Amino acid sequence: MDILQIIGIGLVATFLALILKEQKANIAFLLVVFTSCVIFLYLIDQIYMIIQMIERIAINANVNSVYVETILKIIGIAYIVEFSSQITKDAGQGSIASKIEMAGKIVILAMAVPILTILIEMIIKMIPS
């Protein structure tokens, strides 16, 4: 599926949701959530290809696979948090959406600390005493 098809699906769903919102707001919201999930599922193949490319680059560069896996998990968490936050905002729950975003940032920071620690140790070793 190319970007024009995704845009088309998104625009059609948007217009349908606007029409339905006046009479059946809950169905309009479900349409928005369903469309968001469909678009995300269409992108799974491309996400998988990107992950494979990053893994190949890491192997060629002799980067420890633990670091690559952690970074990919962090990126995945960021996208899932953004997706969840946007759906929550669409439901009119901006306060909950901001808490989801905060939780995602904390989890990402917790996952990044070991990598940051190793980077700092490497930098310290490079500095002449």
Side-chain angles (χ1 to χ4, degrees), residues 11-12 81 95 119 128:
L11 289 174
V12 168
V81 166
S95 179
L119 281 173

Side-chain angles (χ1 to χ4, degrees), residues 89-128:
K89 286 177 185 175
D90 289 344
Q93 300 298 318
S95 179
I96 294 173
S98 66
K99 303 316 180 273
I100 290 171
E101 291 169 357
M102 181 180 65
K105 290 173 186 174
I106 290 171
V107 169
I108 287 170
L109 181 60
M111 291 180 75
V113 167
I115 294 174
L116 291 172
T117 303
I118 291 168
L119 281 173
I120 291 170
E121 288 172 1
M122 286 174 37
I123 292 170
I124 290 172
K125 288 179 184 177
M126 294 174 145
I127 299 173

Side-chain angles (χ1 to χ4, degrees), residues 2 6 24 40 42 49 62 67-68 71 80 82 95-96 98 112 115 123 127:
D2 69 345
I6 292 171
K24 302 277 185 176
F40 182 75
Y42 277 123
M49 288 185 337
N62 292 325
Y67 304 137
V68 176
I71 291 170
I80 291 169
E82 178 68 21
S95 179
I96 294 173
S98 66
I115 294 174
I123 292 170
I127 299 173

Side-chain angles (χ1 to χ4, degrees), residues 12-112:
V12 168
T14 300
F15 293 132
L16 287 174
L18 288 173
I19 292 168
L20 285 172
K21 193 173 189 177
E22 295 175 9
Q23 294 150 2
K24 302 277 185 176
N26 55 347
I27 294 175
F29 175 70
L30 291 175
L31 173 67
V32 169
V33 171
F34 175 76
T35 304
S36 299
C37 290
V38 167
I39 290 171
F40 182 75
L41 289 174
Y42 277 123
L43 297 173
I44 291 291
D45 287 338
Q46 290 186 337
I47 293 169
Y48 182 70
M49 288 185 337
I50 292 167
I51 290 171
Q52 284 183 323
M53 258 193 303
I54 291 172
E55 287 175 342
R56 270 188 261 124
I57 292 169
I59 289 169
N60 292 338
N62 292 325
V63 175
N64 190 333
S65 64
V66 173
Y67 304 137
V68 176
E69 287 175 14
T70 302
I71 291 170
L72 289 174
K73 285 178 186 177
I74 288 171
I75 293 168
I77 289 169
Y79 280 116
I80 291 169
V81 166
E82 178 68 21
F83 183 77
S84 303
S85 173
Q86 290 298 325
I87 288 177
T88 308
K89 286 177 185 175
D90 289 344
Q93 300 298 318
S95 179
I96 294 173
S98 66
K99 303 316 180 273
I100 290 171
E101 291 169 357
M102 181 180 65
K105 290 173 186 174
I106 290 171
V107 169
I108 287 170
L109 181 60
M111 291 180 75

